[in-house]
Amino acid sequence: MELEEELAKQRVVIGGLLNVASADAKRVLAAYSPEKGYSYNLTKLLKCNSRQLEACASLVGLKARSADGSEKLYQKLEILADRIILKIESLFEAECSDCRAVYCNTLESEPLFTCRLCLLGSHNCEEIKRKAENVGQLYPSGFVWLCNVCLGKNDLVSMLSPTNTLKKQPLKKNSKLTASVEKLNTIKEKDSEEEKTEEEEEIKEEEDKVDERQSPNRVRDDRESEKSGRESQKEKNREICELYKRRACPPWA
């Protein structure tokens, strides 16, 4: 029942996006299914063309082209589809790592932090606001924020640079602090020699880095579908006559 309620809320989110989406963006949203896993949805989205994917990216707040619109920021559709899936799922309900409240971002939300792995926006509670005010003093060289789920799924200590002074400090498994990291999970993409804006350079830098760590959303599988498939195969096996499988069928009378 709890899973069904969660899926129902996620369908409401998808329905809300469909209400304000263009025709091209609707094709992409229609291909996404909250009941299915990441691999299934990625395969479905890749059946959409670049125009449709870019339209959906714009809808969910993902920049897909340069400021003047002349250049694509994602040369591979697989990367763009990956980001769209994560942006869609960033609008689902999540638990705040600080106040433990359940919250849900919208297209109009302006979160103070965004998870580097799954693109989930932070909760705008007082704890998060206080961190945002002090983060420049604690990490003047920059920082990366991880949401509650991604923080729990990844070994934060191993993600720290060997030269990072934070490595000398013990980190709790469920630490709620942001941390500076250099290597993060992304899909490899070729470098571009053309000059880009700061935001465009950040997107390209994210694509060029490769690491074994993954967002939990990227490895989420459709266990119910797998279970159903195994049971269906068992039923089919039972329907096959044992004599036939041994090629020992009796002759016709």
Side-chain angles (χ1 to χ4, degrees), residues 204-219:
K204 181 56 64 180
E205 177 185 0
E206 181 179 319
E207 292 181 356
D208 290 337
K209 294 181 180 179
V210 179
D211 194 87
E212 70 278 7
R213 282 172 292 278
Q214 294 185 319
S215 159
N217 291 359
R218 289 194 176 99
V219 295

Side-chain angles (χ1 to χ4, degrees), residues 153-172:
K153 292 289 185 179
N154 291 276
D155 181 6
L156 196 59
V157 175
S158 67
M159 296 171 73
L160 296 173
S161 166
T163 59
N164 196 320
T165 56
L166 287 177
K167 192 171 183 180
K168 299 177 182 179
Q169 302 174 2
L171 293 174
K172 296 181 180 180

Side-chain angles (χ1 to χ4, degrees), residues 8 16 20 35 40 42 54 80-81 118 123 150 155 163 178 181 229 248:
V20 297
E35 292 91 348
Y40 175 92
L42 182 64
E54 288 184 10
L80 181 56
C118 72
H123 188 210
C150 290
D155 181 6
T163 59
T178 58
V181 297

Side-chain angles (χ1 to χ4, degrees), residues 73-218:
L73 299 183
Y74 296 97
Q75 300 302 319
K76 293 184 178 180
L77 293 184
E78 182 181 4
I79 299 173
L80 181 56
D82 167 80
R83 301 300 188 273
I84 290 174
I85 291 174
L86 297 181
K87 287 293 287 185
I88 290 174
E89 295 180 351
S90 73
L91 302 175
F92 295 162
E93 280 190 351
E95 180 181 304
C96 177
S97 59
D98 288 78
C99 71
R100 296 299 174 182
V102 175
Y103 69 99
C104 187
N105 283 319
T106 66
L107 294 178
E108 293 73 31
S109 300
E110 296 181 0
L112 297 173
F113 300 124
T114 299
C115 181
R116 182 63 182 270
L117 293 183
C118 72
L119 305 185
L120 175 69
S122 64
H123 188 210
N124 286 340
C125 61
E126 292 303 318
E127 289 83 352
I128 291 291
K129 291 179 181 178
R130 186 165 56 252
K131 285 183 180 180
E133 293 175 355
N134 300 326
V135 74
Q137 300 175 2
L138 294 174
Y139 310 104
S141 61
F143 70 96
V144 169
W145 183 79
L146 298 181
C147 71
N148 184 44
V149 175
C150 290
L151 190 61
K153 292 289 185 179
N154 291 276
D155 181 6
L156 196 59
V157 175
S158 67
M159 296 171 73
L160 296 173
S161 166
T163 59
N164 196 320
T165 56
L166 287 177
K167 192 171 183 180
K168 299 177 182 179
Q169 302 174 2
L171 293 174
K172 296 181 180 180
K173 183 178 180 180
N174 295 322
S175 172
K176 300 175 184 178
L177 297 176
T178 58
S180 299
V181 297
E182 287 187 357
K183 298 171 64 180
L184 291 168
N185 172 63
T186 50
I187 303 175
K188 191 174 183 180
E189 179 70 10
K190 294 181 180 179
D191 291 325
S192 174
E193 297 179 357
E194 300 182 14
E195 294 183 359
K196 303 179 183 297
T197 64
E198 182 177 349
E199 183 177 359
E200 292 166 5
E201 287 290 355
E202 184 177 347
I203 291 176
K204 181 56 64 180
E205 177 185 0
E206 181 179 319
E207 292 181 356
D208 290 337
K209 294 181 180 179
V210 179
D211 194 87
E212 70 278 7
R213 282 172 292 278
Q214 294 185 319
S215 159
N217 291 359
R218 289 194 176 99

Side-chain angles (χ1 to χ4, degrees), residues 223-239:
R223 301 191 183 282
E224 288 299 323
S225 177
E226 291 183 359
K227 180 180 178 182
S228 175
R230 289 194 298 268
E231 292 177 349
S232 176
Q233 186 60 42
K234 288 181 180 179
E235 290 297 326
K236 290 181 179 179
N237 291 339
R238 293 194 192 101
E239 294 173 1

